């Protein structure tokens, strides 16, 4: 079902489960059909450290992070994008000082706007 209906992507299923999705009813039925042999907590633990779950034999994923991305109504960027921008600003200002950081951020925004106009 996941492969055929949702292109093997939990993200596609998650989008279909959204409140305003026209596919929500079907997605809810699909979601209810999904059965797991282990809890979500154990599964996430397995992804990070496969040896922590004895009844799962696969290798897991050593460098893996799950980030929910949600764009708030009326927002131009997701909260994650805002967080990354703030982190970049903090790192630059710590290394180069506020004045240089402001100039770099202004130049980056101008370049971003310029590239946006070219497309």
């Amino acid at each position: 079902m996941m492969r055929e209906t949702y292109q093997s992507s939990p993200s596609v299923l998650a989008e279909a489960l959204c409140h305003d999705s026209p596919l929500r009813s079907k997605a809810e039925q699909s979601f209810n059909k999904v059965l797991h042999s282990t809890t979500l907590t154990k599964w996430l633990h397995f992804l990070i450290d496969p040896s922590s779950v004895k009844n799962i034999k696969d290798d897991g994923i050593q460098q893996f992070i799950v980030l929910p991305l949600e764009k708030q109504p009326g927002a131009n960027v997701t909260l994650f994008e805002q967080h990354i921008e703030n982190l970049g600003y903090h790192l630059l200002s710590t290394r180069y000082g506020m004045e240089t950081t402001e100039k770099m951020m202004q130049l980056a925004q101008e370049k971003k706007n310029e590239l946006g106009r070219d497309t």
Side-chain angles (χ1 to χ4, degrees), residues 43-44 47 64-68:
W43 182 75
L44 290 172
L47 290 175
F64 180 80
I65 188 167
V66 177
L67 298 170

Side-chain angles (χ1 to χ4, degrees), residues 19-93:
H19 178 69
D20 56 350
S21 171
L23 303 173
R24 184 175 180 173
S25 178
K26 182 177 181 184
E28 286 176 344
Q29 292 173 1
S30 297
F31 179 79
N32 289 329
K33 291 178 185 177
V34 176
L35 299 173
H36 300 281
S37 61
T38 190
T39 65
L40 179 59
T41 305
K42 283 185 178 181
W43 182 75
L44 290 172
H45 247 248
F46 158 71
L47 290 175
I48 296 165
D49 181 14
S51 64
S52 68
V53 180
K54 304 294 185 234
N55 63 339
I56 300 177
K57 304 296 183 207
D58 296 315
D59 288 336
I61 302 170
Q62 293 300 316
Q63 296 178 1
F64 180 80
I65 188 167
V66 177
L67 298 170
L69 299 179
E70 179 181 4
K71 193 175 282 188
Q72 299 294 322
N76 292 330
V77 296
T78 65
L79 294 176
F80 176 73
E81 291 167 319
Q82 288 175 350
H83 176 71
I84 294 299
E85 186 174 318
N86 290 340
L87 178 61
Y89 186 87
H90 171 74
L91 293 172
L92 288 171
S93 64

